[in-house]
Structure formats: C-alpha cells, structure tokens
C-alpha cells in the first residue's frame, strides 16, 4: 500500500476518533436468514466457488524442487508441487489407474516421485507417469500416454491461486485494485509458517461476516483483544468484489500531530482484506495471517489459517515470539467462532426471518451484495 494511501486512511480514522463517530452508510439494512440454512443455496455457492480463483497456499511452501502440498478443502483433492525444473504446478491428487488418492501426507519436501499406495503407479513431479508394475497387462501402455490431470494455478505476490472450472475471471482482473494495495506489503518475500485448521458448525458466510465489523469487540473480546482496539471504530471500504477493513489500535492516537512521513498504518491498525469469496488476509505490524473459509455443508465450515513471517524462526526466542502472536489470533478467532455457532443455532430456530444490520455493519451488506450478484450471473 502506497504511503499516501496509508496517510489518507489514518486521517479518516483520526477524524472519526476526534468526532466520536465511525464509518457508516446512509441507511440500516436487513439480511434474510434463509440463505444461511437452505441446502440448495449451499449447493449454488459451492458451484460458484469452482468458477472463481481460490487461494490454496504460498510459494514458500513449495520452496525447492520436489516440495509438495495437498489441499482438500475445495472439495476437490489437489496436489501442489514444484517440479525438478522449478515450475509450480497443481494436479488432481488422483491416480489415473483406479482413482486412488495418490498422496496422503499434507506436506513434504524433496519428493522425487509420487507412488500410488494401491498398485504402485509412479509419477514424477511434472505429473508424468513413470512406472506401471506389470505393464504387460496394459497393451495400451499407459506409461506413454497417461499423466496426472493438471489444474490451472498461478502465483501472484507469492500467493497460489487455482481455478477448478473454466469460465470464470482470470486472477489479475479478479483481484483488480487489491493487487496494487497488497504489493507494498512484500508478501512474496515472506515464508509460510504453520497451518491451523478446524471445523465449526456454522454457515461459511457467518465465518466471513464476523470479521467485517468492530461492533462486537467490547463484548465478544473483552478480556482478549478489546484492550488493544477501539470498540466500533473502523473503516470498511469496497474494492469490488473485495472489501478492505481498517480496525485501529489505541496507539493510533499517537500519530495526531506527528510528522506524516513517519506514519505507518500496519503498526497502528489491523488491515484486513476480505478477498472474495472466502479469504481473510490480515496485515499485522510484522507479519501476515491468511485464513480461508470453505463450506462443507449448509451449517458446516472448515476454517484454516497459515502465517507469513519475514523469515523462518531459527532460535527458541523467535519461535516463542511467533507462537505467542499466533496464540493471540487463534484465541480471538475461537471467541468469534463461538459466537458464530451461536448465530447459526439461533437462525435455525426460526426466531428471525432476517438479521438487522446497523449503518456501521455495512461490510456484511457489501459481502452479501457481491455474493448475490455473482450467483445471479
């Protein structure tokens, strides 16, 4: 993010603090409850996911030839790897013999060949079938004609994006203005660290919407992160189809009257990019956390997070420092997920036909408007 944009956003926050206000739209609104419950809506959203660029990892997870990563949250088994020539590739993680899952491990390094655990068909990192036991039984000689099925994958700013079906937008046009803002954070120079994954009993949209407002901080996070942030103060801006949220820390008040050339937004606010449809990319003072939300059912969601650090922790002190930061985030997320599961149960009760959104909960409205528009195409 360019410095001029950071200064502009900080000025907006400081003005809200000066006047005791927050960023709001003109009118309150309502969201119907039915889309959080309907199986047919869930199926439509899953189909939409298959046509949009989906974030599946970071290039540092495949740093050297033979490094690989499996990913199943999209509903399609994927195998990401770096070939012997250094190319980043993605395949369906499926043996071409009888459909067995080829690689069971979540991640590995320096793999020279992938061997099917069922009959031993062997593939190299470029997806070519290199060995078929007793191939005399296959007059068609599959080793000469068969390979793993490729899935289109591109790297942008170190982030790896796949598209499962043709017909959707390309990554560059889809990310649009967000690419320019993210470029200044040097994501491609970071290294991925850990993966934290869990499932919760809530609709995936709730798991996104929880993070698009600061109205709940004083109550849901009273003992955890609320002492660091202001309750219900923030900026929520559309970068269609994405959203950028700025949630200021109390330290941002120190910038009032200080020279603008020293202002740095990430030191005094959480900068959250909600990348449509299911990514929450959080810029923090010295690292980045990236969470993806995947629907598993109308009321089941997988939430996974990995962290991007400026360098791998090589000392025990560094490991403790980063672990403390990760524990703070995970703790706050778990508080949010508890509220999210409560929301899902409440919506399922039939008590409400719609949810009421305040003028300062516009992030939820923006997100749902984009989702509804894509589903209508």
């Amino acid at each position: 993010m360019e410095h001029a944009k950071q200064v502009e956003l900080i000025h907006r926050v400081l003005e809200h603090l000066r006047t005791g206000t927050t960023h709001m739209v003109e009118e309150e609104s309502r969201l119907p409850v039915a889309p959080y419950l309907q199986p047919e809506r869930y199926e439509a959203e899953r189909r939409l996911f298959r046509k949009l660029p989906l974030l599946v990892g970071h290039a540092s997870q495949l740093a050297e030839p033979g490094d690989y990563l499996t990913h199943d949250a999209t509903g399609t088994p994927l195998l990401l790897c770096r070939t012997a020539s250094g190319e980043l590739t993605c395949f369906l993680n499926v043996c071409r013999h009888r459909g067995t899952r080829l690689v069971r491990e979540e991640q590995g390094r320096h793999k020279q060949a992938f061997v099917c655990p069922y009959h031993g068909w062997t593939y190299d990192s470029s997806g070519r079938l290199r060995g078929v036991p007793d191939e005399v039984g296959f007059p068609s000689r599959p080793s000469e004609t068969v390979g793993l099925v490729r899935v289109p994958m591109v790297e942008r700013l170190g982030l790896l994006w796949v598209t499962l079906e043709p017909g959707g937008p390309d990554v560059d046009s889809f990310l649009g203005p967000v690419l320019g803002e993210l470029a200044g954070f040097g994501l491609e120079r970071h290294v991925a660290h850990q993966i934290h994954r869990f499932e919760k009993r809530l609709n995936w949209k709730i798991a996104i919407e929880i993070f698009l407002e600061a109205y709940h901080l004083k109550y849901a996070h009273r003992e955890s992160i609320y002492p660091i942030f202001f309750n219900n103060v923030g900026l929520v801006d559309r970068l269609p189809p994405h959203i950028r949220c700025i949630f200021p820390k109390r330290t941002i008040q120190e910038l009032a009257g200080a020279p603008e050339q020293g202002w740095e937004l990430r030191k005094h606010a959480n900068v959250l990019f909600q990348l449509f449809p299911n990514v929450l990319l959080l810029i923090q003072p010295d690292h980045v956390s990236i969470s993806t939300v995947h629907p598993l059912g109308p009321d089941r969601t997988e939430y996974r997070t990995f962290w991007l650090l400026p360098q791998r922790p090589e000392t025990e002190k560094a490991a403790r420092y980063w672990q403390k930061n990760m524990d703070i985030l995970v703790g706050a997320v778990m508080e949010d997920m508890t509220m999210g599961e409560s929301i899902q149960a409440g919506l399922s009760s039939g008590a409400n036909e719609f949810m009421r959104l305040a003028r300062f909960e516009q992030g939820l409205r923006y997100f749902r408007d984009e989702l509804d528009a894509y589903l209508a195409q």
Side-chain angles (χ1 to χ4, degrees):
M1 182 183 290
E2 294 183 355
H3 187 255
K5 172 58 70 173
Q6 296 183 53
V7 169
E8 173 199 328
L9 295 171
I10 291 170
H11 272 301
R12 288 173 60 192
V13 169
L14 292 177
E15 180 62 16
H16 283 306
L17 292 174
R18 186 187 70 80
T19 57
T21 60
T22 190
H23 185 201
M24 295 188 288
V25 293
E26 291 295 323
E27 303 288 341
E28 62 180 290
S29 63
R30 296 179 174 185
L31 291 180
V33 165
Y36 298 90
L37 307 174
Q38 297 165 327
E40 59 271 23
R41 172 72 179 223
Y42 160 74
E43 294 296 340
E45 291 168 352
R46 287 285 282 185
R47 290 193 297 271
L48 175 63
F49 270 50
R50 297 188 62 81
K51 292 187 177 296
L52 296 177
L54 298 176
L55 178 62
V56 292
H58 187 266
S60 66
Q61 294 170 298
L62 307 170
E64 299 178 3
D67 291 357
Y68 65 92
L69 178 71
T70 59
H71 192 289
D72 299 308
T74 65
T76 299
L78 301 176
L79 171 62
L80 291 64
C81 64
R82 191 177 289 273
T83 69
S85 63
E87 178 190 5
L88 288 168
T89 59
C90 180
F91 306 101
L92 295 182
N93 188 16
V94 176
C95 181
R96 299 302 306 281
H97 176 208
R98 284 168 56 186
T100 307
R101 180 184 178 89
L102 180 61
V103 180
R104 296 173 176 175
E105 301 84 13
E106 185 172 284
Q107 192 170 6
R109 304 201 65 198
H110 304 151
K111 193 85 165 179
Q112 295 184 355
F114 300 108
V115 181
C116 178
Y118 196 10
H119 297 97
W121 283 35
T122 302
Y123 306 82
D124 65 20
S125 60
S126 66
R128 285 176 290 189
L129 180 58
R130 292 300 197 183
V132 175
D134 300 318
E135 194 172 17
V136 66
F138 298 91
S140 62
R141 297 192 61 80
S143 62
E144 297 178 1
T145 59
V146 173
L148 297 178
V149 177
R150 283 184 177 263
V151 176
M153 182 173 75
V154 298
E155 176 189 354
R156 293 295 181 272
L157 304 179
L159 305 178
L160 303 178
W161 302 84
V162 301
T163 305
L164 299 176
E165 291 184 4
D170 67 87
V171 171
D172 290 324
S173 63
F174 184 69
L175 293 178
V178 177
L179 271 179
E181 293 208 359
L182 290 177
F185 295 112
L187 304 181
E188 68 279 7
R189 298 190 297 273
H190 287 60
V191 293
H193 182 67
Q194 292 194 12
I195 299 175
H196 186 85
R197 182 174 60 248
F198 55 84
E199 292 185 16
K200 290 294 181 180
R201 300 291 300 188
L202 75 168
N203 187 274
W204 75 277
K205 296 185 289 296
I206 294 173
I208 293 289
E209 293 162 354
I210 282 173
F211 298 97
L212 301 182
E213 46 87 3
Y215 186 33
H216 68 286
L217 289 180
K218 183 177 180 180
Y219 305 97
H221 304 297
R222 183 180 296 275
E223 303 298 328
S224 55
I225 61 174
Y226 168 60
I228 303 171
F229 294 89
F230 295 98
N231 187 65
N232 204 22
V233 177
L235 308 176
V236 181
D237 294 311
R238 301 182 81 163
L239 300 171
H242 317 290
I243 300 170
R244 180 190 61 228
C245 301
I246 308 297
F247 298 126
K249 299 177 180 178
R250 297 175 189 268
T251 60
I252 203 167
Q253 297 175 105
E254 300 169 3
L255 298 182
E260 292 180 358
Q261 60 265 31
W263 289 9
E264 189 173 353
L265 181 61
R266 69 187 298 179
K267 289 184 177 180
H268 300 283
N270 273 2
V271 183
L272 175 68
F273 292 90
Q274 189 265 317
L275 305 180
F276 188 81
N278 69 326
V279 178
L280 298 162
L281 191 153
L282 180 61
I283 306 293
Q284 300 199 61
D286 54 5
H287 67 287
V288 177
S289 65
I290 298 179
S291 302
T292 54
V293 176
H294 289 276
L296 303 178
D299 63 350
R300 288 179 54 238
T301 293
E302 180 189 282
Y303 188 99
R304 62 168 62 195
T305 299
F306 65 91
W307 286 263
L308 295 181
L309 309 184
Q311 61 185 26
R312 299 189 189 281
E314 297 180 352
T315 66
E316 186 175 331
K317 180 180 179 181
R320 286 197 305 268
Y321 172 79
W322 292 119
Q323 190 61 52
K324 180 180 179 180
N325 277 271
M326 290 184 284
D327 289 345
I328 291 172
L329 177 66
V330 171
V333 168
M334 288 303 180
E335 291 172 340
D336 285 321
M337 292 299 113
T338 297
M339 294 299 170
E341 290 188 315
S342 176
I343 292 170
Q344 186 69 38
L347 299 183
S348 299
S349 74
N352 297 331
E353 293 183 8
F354 52 83
M355 293 189 286
R356 296 168 172 84
L357 300 185
R359 295 166 59 201
F360 42 72
E361 293 177 294
Q362 70 270 40
L364 283 72
R365 178 82 269 168
Y366 294 162
F367 170 61
R368 279 290 295 277
D369 285 349
E370 290 292 346
L371 181 58
D372 291 347
Y374 267 91
L375 289 171
Q377 292 178 8

